[in-house]
Amino acid sequence: MKATAAPTNNGIKGIEDAFSAAKQRGRATLIPYICCGYDSPKKTVDILLAMQIGGADIIELGVPCSEPFADGDTNKESHKIAINNGTTGMRDCLRILETASLVEEYNFDVDNMCQDAAMSGANGFLMVGIEEGKQELDFNSICCKNNMSSIQLVRPGSSDRRIADLAGMASSFLYVVSSKGKTGARNALPKDLDDAVARVRAKTDLPLVVGFGISNPEMVKRVSNLSDGAVVGSFLTDCIMKNEGKVRDEDVILQKIAHLHRGTIQDIGAKNQASKLSQVPLHVKINSYINKSSMLRVRRCSSQLFRLATIHETVNARAA
């Protein structure tokens, strides 16, 4: 997937292309995260372009909110600063979305959101805090209708049944959360991460990416050899905060992304690799089948009624 200065959108296909291109190079995808509007709208664009140049395959752009879900202190602070500097919601983010590939959160009509985001260059959504069941299925259906990917978040401790449900709703990839708790850079990844990724792989052939806590090329390397991609967020925001304007923030990010990108090279025999890069979500398939079957029954019923009406008219004509 490309992050370009002029908004373009291939929807789900754009994400599929990003994974395909990485695999052709023998690499996992690198997915950096930044809060939109941090620390200013102009700075966000500069940082996104630096991420692209540094080697990002997909960019996750967070929509600032006063109470971000599952975010640690670093990301919370970036949300606060972005809001204070004038980025207060999705519409502000869409004006900045010249270079982003993924966006989070929304608080108005979902159908309009998908249309507006697609026109701004987004390819999909990672919605956190959405209710299980009807709400997530409805959201997923609207995304599909607008050719937007709905990224499924697999949390630690999810049951096999829940993982299967999330896999069925996925259209492009699943995001495997590496550890419990909030976001934030860590010194090491969980020892049981291999098993956690394998559990998800058993339920889907789509790409899997791992996020939460990744902070160096060695971590990226481990994740790249047991999944299809690595998400890095808090670490990059930390780097900007610690820079304190000593050099241009975008230069810091470009250097860090290029450094992290070295870890995406996969060894021969990398585990849990995807065998397909996109799909139509199961419930969308089922609904489509039901709707087609219903239309077919209506057509058959209408045809039978027409024949009955014709016979009726013939009988009446003979009687007359």
Side-chain angles (χ1 to χ4, degrees):
M1 184 180 307
K2 52 190 177 182
T4 58
T8 58
N9 177 268
N10 296 316
I12 296 169
K13 183 65 164 55
I15 296 176
E16 178 182 341
D17 289 346
F19 281 100
S20 177
K23 288 186 177 298
Q24 289 175 17
R25 297 191 299 268
R27 294 180 177 270
T29 56
L30 180 62
I31 307 176
Y33 164 91
I34 192 71
C35 177
C36 189
Y38 174 74
D39 59 3
S40 70
K42 182 182 182 306
K43 183 65 68 176
T44 298
V45 173
D46 293 339
I47 288 172
L48 291 170
L49 288 169
M51 287 178 170
Q52 176 201 1
I53 295 169
D57 299 288
I58 297 170
I59 297 172
E60 182 182 355
L61 186 65
V63 176
C65 57
S66 57
E67 296 182 9
F69 184 86
D71 275 320
D73 292 340
T74 297
N75 282 347
K76 281 184 178 179
E77 182 64 16
S78 69
H79 281 248
K80 179 180 177 181
I81 292 171
I83 291 171
N84 290 341
N85 288 341
T87 304
T88 59
M90 177 62 83
R91 294 196 188 281
D92 292 328
C93 292
L94 294 182
R95 285 191 284 269
I96 300 171
L97 195 59
E98 294 175 328
T99 55
S101 303
L102 296 175
V103 292
E104 285 187 353
E105 306 262 2
Y106 212 67
N107 58 6
F108 52 99
D109 182 80
V110 177
D111 213 346
N112 288 339
M113 172 193 71
C114 285
Q115 294 172 28
D116 291 347
M119 291 181 65
S120 298
N123 295 79
F125 296 90
L126 195 166
M127 293 293 272
V128 293
I130 195 168
E131 292 181 8
E132 293 183 19
K134 187 178 185 304
Q135 188 180 55
E136 65 183 357
L137 289 171
D138 287 347
F139 176 75
N140 194 279
S141 296
I142 293 171
C143 283
C144 286
K145 184 180 77 172
N146 289 280
N147 191 32
M148 299 290 284
S149 179
S150 176
I151 314 303
Q152 304 306 311
L153 196 68
V154 185
R155 296 181 175 86
S158 295
S159 67
D160 287 343
R161 180 174 179 178
R162 178 60 180 162
I163 294 172
D165 288 344
L166 292 169
M169 285 187 286
S171 54
S172 57
F173 69 92
L174 288 87
Y175 184 138
V176 181
V177 178
S178 68
S179 54
K180 293 180 179 180
K182 304 292 185 179
T183 60
R186 294 170 172 79
N187 295 321
L189 292 167
K191 294 180 180 179
D192 63 351
L193 184 58
D194 295 54
D195 293 337
V197 177
R199 281 187 66 217
V200 183
R201 172 54 68 216
K203 304 297 182 184
T204 182
D205 296 323
L206 289 173
L208 306 177
V209 306
V210 175
F212 276 47
I214 299 173
S215 62
N216 58 56
E218 292 72 31
M219 287 184 174
V220 173
K221 180 70 171 179
R222 181 184 168 194
V223 166
S224 296
N225 280 309
L226 58 88
S227 73
D228 303 283
V231 183
V232 184
S234 296
F235 167 71
L236 296 170
T237 304
D238 273 334
C239 291
I240 295 172
M241 290 181 174
K242 291 175 181 176
N243 178 46
E244 297 180 338
K246 297 170 186 173
V247 297
R248 296 193 312 169
D249 290 335
E250 54 268 37
D251 291 338
V252 172
I253 291 300
L254 191 155
Q255 181 184 30
K256 296 299 181 183
I257 293 294
H259 188 54
L260 291 166
H261 193 255
R262 297 174 188 171
T264 62
I265 299 175
Q266 295 178 314
D267 296 334
I268 296 174
K271 301 177 183 177
N272 305 312
Q273 297 303 292
S275 58
K276 65 179 179 182
L277 301 180
S278 66
Q279 68 178 17
V280 177
L282 181 59
H283 69 98
V284 175
K285 282 183 180 178
I286 292 172
N287 288 338
S288 176
Y289 175 77
I290 291 172
N291 291 337
K292 287 179 180 178
S293 296
S294 297
M295 290 179 65
L296 183 60
R297 286 196 296 270
V298 169
R299 290 194 189 102
R300 286 174 177 170
C301 183
S302 298
S303 178
Q304 290 168 356
L305 288 172
F306 176 77
R307 285 197 296 271
L308 287 171
T310 301
I311 292 170
H312 177 74
E313 291 299 326
T314 302
V315 170
N316 285 344
R318 288 175 178 172

